[in-house]
Every structure is written in structure tokens, then in C-alpha cells.
Amino acid sequence: GVGAEAVDAAAWGGTFVIVGSTGPRPDPISLGTIMGKELNVLGSLNGDVGDYYNSIEFLRSTQTRFPWDELFSEPVGLSGASAAIESMSRLEQVKAVVHPWLP
């Protein structure tokens, strides 16, 4: 599941955030890996529309200071999702972008 992939992809001492519900059955995640990598975990059931506005404004106001476009890979469809996640785990890209409507 997504939670397990987030734990695996997180850098030592990193933080990962899970936003939204987990569905009818929560995904198991490795507490041993979380502790071994000394990760910070932050969960949120959902966000407020104001959070989206604040996020966009933050990106807009810092676009000349940070290379945001370099953080995200070219979008791939569901057929390329596994390869993109594997590429992230090899540190070949920072954030894979999977768009479900692409082939």
C-alpha cells in the first residue's frame, strides 16, 4: 500500500505525511522500519479548502527561490506507476507523478 511505500521511500530521519482516509482496511506499515529510520509520521484525516489555497500561494510566492518544477517527474499513466516508484526508491527522481488518465 501507499503507507508502506512512503516508509520505504522516506530518507533516514525524514518526515512523511499521510492525508486522507485509509479506506475500509488500513494498510499495514512497518513500525520497525519507521523506528530504524527514525522517521516522523504525520497523519491527517483530510484537509480544508483553505489549505489548498495556502499551498498554492506558498508555491507562487517562492517560485523564484526554489526550483519546484525540478522536484516532480514527467507524469506517467498507471502502466508506468510501478517503474516510477522504483525509480524514486533508487533516488533517480524526487517525486513521481502518476496521472490515472494517461495510458
Side-chain angles (χ1 to χ4, degrees):
V2 173
E5 290 176 355
V7 170
D8 289 342
W12 185 90
T15 299
F16 73 94
V17 179
I18 300 176
V19 179
S21 68
T22 60
R25 287 198 253 167
D27 293 331
I29 58 174
S30 171
L31 295 179
T33 303
I34 290 171
M35 291 181 293
K37 291 173 92 174
E38 297 186 6
L39 298 177
N40 297 298
V41 181
L42 179 62
S44 174
L45 184 57
N46 55 34
D48 180 75
V49 71
D51 297 331
Y52 295 113
Y53 175 81
N54 290 335
S55 298
I56 297 298
E57 286 305 305
F58 171 78
L59 293 171
R60 185 177 327 209
S61 68
T62 60
Q63 66 185 344
T64 59
R65 293 176 42 213
F66 299 107
W68 296 118
D69 291 340
E70 294 176 22
L71 297 178
F72 302 96
S73 68
E74 288 295 318
V76 297
L78 294 177
S79 64
S82 293
I85 299 295
E86 290 170 8
S87 177
M88 279 180 47
S89 70
R90 292 189 303 269
L91 304 179
E92 295 171 352
Q93 56 182 299
V94 177
K95 176 64 177 140
V97 176
V98 179
H99 193 298
W101 297 330
L102 292 175

